[in-house]
Amino acid sequence: MCGITGWASFHHDARTHAPVIEAMTATLTSRGPDAGGVWLGERAAIGHRRLAVIDLVGGVQPMTDRPDEPDIVLTYSGEIYNHHALRTELRARGHQFGTRSDTEVVLRAYAEWGENAADHLEGMFAFVVWDERRQRLLLVRDRLGVKPLFWTAVDGGLAFASEPKALFAHPEIRPRVDADGLREAYSLLFNTGPTVWSGIREVEPGGILVLDRDGIRERRYWQLESGVHVHDREATVERVRQLIGAAAHSQLEADVPLCSLLSGGLDSTVLTALLADELRRREGPDARIRSYAVDYSDQASAFKGDVLRTGHDTPYATEAGAFIGTDHSTVVLDPRALLDLEHRRAVVVARDSPIGVGDMDTSLYLLFGEIRRHSTVALSGEAADEVFGGYPWFHNPKALAARTFPWLLVTDDEAAMPLNPALDLRIREFRADTYASAMAAVPHLDGETPAEHRQREMQHLSLTRWLRQLLHRKDRLSMAQGLEVRVPYCDHRLVEYAFTTPWALKSFDGREKSLLRAIGKGLAPDSVLHRPKNHYPATHHPDYNRGLQDMARDALATEQVRALADETLIKPCLDTPPDQLEWGHRLRLERVVDLALWLDHYQPELAL
């Protein structure tokens, strides 16, 4: 995992701008703490920061097809899990390799297949190729959007980066926010393409962008498609078992210490058990995978359920670790540490965005920092809810009947930052229009019932929108600590298969994630198999709520925050006794604080 950045321009000689590409690359040092490099040509400048995971000596970037006068220059972030098979295939086609790295496989794949190389890659990746002979810049992003890739126009071309902060080191690009950007951020619709920053866009997941002398063009090389499911229940369970097992097998490779994130939920427990079995197969019966969970010092005594959480994670995680046989640790955080302004500022800067989930982001950032002391790679159960139908909105009649994004029934204005009505952002109209467009993008299957198609709509929304913001969160907060997080449930073959599986097979035992639960028998303790869905933990300590209220008052003392926020909606949250502050109102305060930190750090031009 790494950080990539650079630009191409047909109007300027990039060789005269070495300090610019070096500055852009330096902003991504946390993503790649092990090494960095730049390449300069007449029309392109390419930068790279490396987190060394595979072939620690040989995978140096930017990588070129030959040392002198190269035709191909590559900067790449991610992991290609089928790189061994591709290396064999490319060798048979006449390509020679000088390293063991998956980076060189991407380079040679482009040399063989051009922009169609993406079709051959399995993994999480964002990469950019400058083709000197064709005078062409190619941007490619993985199918599910696990790895980020942003771009914006510059004079005569475009600039790109893993994170917007790198773009702001380019002299033509300034942090600017307009009404469209605020609407995108605070509508909570998770569109891919537009961002909070004016003029800065994301490459679509499963997308390719090409810049040449004819201009810029984009296309999708992958997207979700409907299809006829031909397997019965037994065959479906077995196929899902094979796909998850294959993903776990391929993603266990690393030349650095590796661990698993084990929350005590079904998703992470099944994954950790498969990883542990594979590790023992490779290294012997005494091999034990490290696993980590997070908790708060007050949780055992002060836990209280809310709209997202039904129980305390730690006992389940501890039991699961013992059942599987992992080397398990629980990282216990002091709730008051989550109020540290430097931690919160680091989180906001990692996101490049004012929108997050407050203490849950800060605690995840601190958890990743602790894990990074012992491991360089972690595997996560993220995406199982989207793939197997784990969220309440898949089962709640009200959510199924509502003609809106289902998460808004939980978050909506309770969780959104209450914006000043004078901004006239028309968020409700924007949500309605965007929902109509999202529904039009859902593939149809001839002969399916309205109820079956509604479930397909819910899964499509979950996989193409809700999941994307979770992947962004995990990538940005982990890479801010120099930790690579892999997500086996995002294997595109598993996602494709599950998307075409009828809802009756996904809920055959009368509840969520039936297929995953069937696979988990024998891999997870019964208590975990039958445990209700539980979201990432949050602190319930009154001292945290009290400190958050004080921070929000300080935030509202700044003129820019007052100009953007609706103080009449925030004031009741400030006046509520700390031990009675509800989750939605607390999230309002979290977002006021984050907004103030974001404005202070980036000093954006507000074109409202």
Side-chain angles (χ1 to χ4, degrees):
M1 202 80 73
C2 305
I4 64 176
T5 191
W7 75 86
S9 171
F10 297 109
H11 291 176
H12 305 285
D13 188 338
R15 293 171 296 186
T16 64
H17 298 288
V20 176
I21 188 62
E22 289 168 357
M24 294 172 71
T25 305
T27 67
L28 301 174
T29 299
S30 65
R31 295 186 71 92
D34 295 327
V38 302
W39 179 90
L40 287 159
E42 182 180 5
R43 295 296 172 219
I46 307 294
H48 187 269
R49 289 296 315 185
R50 187 184 186 203
L51 177 65
V53 172
I54 293 176
D55 191 1
L56 307 188
V57 175
V60 176
Q61 298 189 54
M63 184 175 283
T64 60
D65 60 337
R66 58 176 179 264
D68 299 319
E69 298 184 356
D71 283 336
I72 302 170
V73 184
L74 169 70
T75 185
Y76 152 71
S77 171
E79 300 292 343
I80 304 301
Y81 302 125
N82 65 331
H83 71 99
H84 294 294
L86 283 177
R87 186 186 305 269
T88 299
E89 179 179 356
L90 289 164
R91 277 180 171 151
R93 291 172 176 264
H95 293 272
Q96 296 181 347
F97 288 82
T99 74
R100 293 190 300 107
S101 70
D102 58 336
T103 304
E104 190 174 7
V105 170
V106 176
L107 181 82
R108 304 300 172 189
Y110 174 80
E112 178 66 28
W113 295 300
E115 67 179 63
N116 294 324
D119 296 322
H120 299 262
L121 304 179
E122 298 171 6
M124 55 179 190
F125 51 84
F127 67 86
V128 175
V129 171
W130 171 249
D131 191 318
E132 183 73 13
R133 184 166 58 86
R134 294 181 175 86
Q135 293 286 284
R136 179 175 73 181
L137 190 74
L138 174 72
L139 282 65
V140 182
R141 193 174 179 198
D142 68 67
R143 296 168 179 83
L144 273 295
V146 181
K147 292 290 95 189
L149 185 54
F150 297 86
W151 69 277
T152 191
V154 295
D155 184 35
L158 66 82
F160 65 88
S162 296
E163 300 178 5
K165 61 174 63 67
L167 298 175
F168 298 142
H170 190 287
E172 293 183 36
I173 306 166
R174 291 288 180 267
R176 184 177 185 273
V177 178
D178 57 21
D180 290 339
L182 285 182
R183 190 181 300 113
E184 286 288 347
Y186 287 102
S187 63
L188 304 180
L189 305 186
F190 314 118
N191 287 316
T192 300
T195 69
V196 68
W197 302 108
S198 179
I200 295 177
R201 298 181 60 84
E202 287 186 82
V203 175
E204 290 272 355
I208 288 174
L209 184 148
V210 176
L211 167 75
D212 57 23
R213 292 183 183 276
D214 293 327
I216 295 172
R217 58 187 181 277
E218 294 182 81
R219 70 173 178 88
R220 300 286 295 278
Y221 69 89
W222 183 89
Q223 56 190 334
L224 288 169
E225 296 180 355
S226 59
V228 177
H229 190 80
V230 297
H231 293 154
D232 61 15
R233 181 196 297 179
E234 183 178 351
T236 299
V237 170
E238 182 56 32
R239 181 57 178 154
V240 170
R241 189 193 316 276
Q242 292 171 356
L243 289 168
I244 297 176
H249 170 87
S250 66
Q251 297 190 32
L252 199 58
E253 181 181 6
D255 294 336
V256 291
L258 178 148
C259 70
S260 181
L261 305 178
L262 179 59
S263 69
L266 178 63
D267 315 343
S268 64
T269 302
V270 169
L271 176 62
T272 301
L274 291 171
L275 294 169
D277 285 348
E278 176 63 21
L279 190 66
R280 284 190 286 264
R281 187 189 69 80
R282 295 182 187 185
E283 299 183 7
D286 295 330
R288 295 163 66 88
I289 191 170
R290 278 183 175 269
S291 63
Y292 289 91
V294 67
D295 201 358
Y296 304 96
S297 57
D298 66 313
Q299 202 80 325
S301 60
F303 176 83
K304 59 180 180 180
D306 58 29
V307 67
L308 298 178
R309 299 164 195 87
T310 59
H312 183 202
D313 279 345
T314 293
Y316 294 95
T318 302
E319 182 184 4
F323 184 90
I324 297 167
T326 72
D327 182 3
H328 186 70
S329 300
T330 300
V331 177
V332 180
L333 303 175
D334 184 339
R336 288 168 285 263
L338 305 180
L339 297 169
D340 186 307
L341 271 177
E342 291 310 306
H343 294 329
R344 297 190 72 103
R345 186 183 301 276
V347 167
V348 169
V349 173
R351 292 194 314 246
D352 287 317
S353 169
I355 290 292
V357 282
D359 66 306
M360 290 185 283
D361 281 355
T362 308
S363 66
L364 189 62
Y365 171 78
L366 295 175
L367 169 65
F368 287 152
E370 184 62 28
I371 291 173
R372 185 61 176 88
R373 294 175 55 198
H374 309 283
S375 299
T376 307
V377 175
L379 288 100
S380 165
E382 198 78 84
D385 287 306
E386 290 79 5
V387 171
F388 295 111
Y391 290 117
W393 55 67
F394 287 102
H395 310 269
N396 186 322
K398 179 183 176 183
L400 291 168
R403 293 297 155 178
T404 189
F405 297 96
W407 50 87
L408 295 181
L409 301 177
V410 179
T411 59
D412 201 20
D413 292 329
E414 283 294 300
M417 220 292 290
L419 294 172
N420 192 328
L423 296 172
D424 193 26
L425 296 181
R426 303 179 67 184
I427 282 180
R428 291 189 183 279
E429 293 93 327
F430 181 66
R431 285 173 170 172
D433 292 344
T434 305
Y435 182 76
S437 298
M439 290 297 95
V442 179
H444 287 256
L445 182 65
D446 291 342
E448 67 182 352
T449 67
E452 288 170 336
H453 186 68
R454 183 55 176 158
Q455 288 292 353
R456 189 183 303 279
E457 290 175 338
M458 295 298 248
Q459 188 170 24
H460 197 272
L461 290 174
S462 299
L463 286 167
T464 62
R465 290 177 178 271
W466 182 255
L467 177 60
R468 290 180 185 175
Q469 55 92 21
L470 296 178
L471 293 175
H472 260 304
R473 173 177 180 253
K474 191 142 283 182
D475 172 85
R476 304 296 280 280
L477 298 180
S478 63
M479 294 309 293
Q481 298 282 20
L483 177 73
E484 173 178 300
V485 174
R486 300 176 181 176
V487 280
Y489 290 120
C490 284
D491 182 284
H492 74 277
R493 295 159 299 184
L494 173 63
V495 172
E496 289 170 345
Y497 186 79
F499 187 67
T500 62
T501 301
W503 180 249
L505 288 175
K506 292 175 185 167
S507 57
F508 66 78
D509 63 358
R511 55 180 302 190
E512 79 286 349
K513 293 187 283 197
S514 303
L515 291 170
L516 192 59
R517 187 172 297 101
I519 292 166
K521 291 179 180 177
L523 296 175
D526 286 344
S527 61
V528 172
L529 284 177
H530 302 292
R531 184 187 180 198
K533 164 69 182 171
N534 210 49
H535 288 261
Y536 184 87
T539 180
H540 300 274
H541 201 293
D543 283 354
Y544 177 80
N545 292 346
R546 186 177 295 107
L548 179 64
Q549 289 172 319
D550 291 340
M551 293 169 70
R553 290 187 185 95
D554 291 341
L556 287 170
T558 63
E559 183 177 349
Q560 276 193 319
V561 172
R562 289 199 306 273
L564 296 178
D566 186 346
E567 292 184 75
T568 62
L569 291 180
I570 299 170
K571 190 175 186 302
C573 309
L574 297 173
D575 295 339
T576 301
D579 60 348
Q580 298 176 27
L581 195 62
E582 296 180 356
W583 174 79
H585 284 186
R586 189 170 88 170
L587 192 50
R588 285 187 187 179
L589 300 181
E590 303 273 17
R591 290 198 166 141
V592 170
V593 172
D594 286 354
L595 175 63
L597 292 170
W598 178 72
L599 290 168
D600 179 67
H601 180 81
Y602 290 95
Q603 297 292 308
E605 175 191 349
L606 297 177
L608 304 174

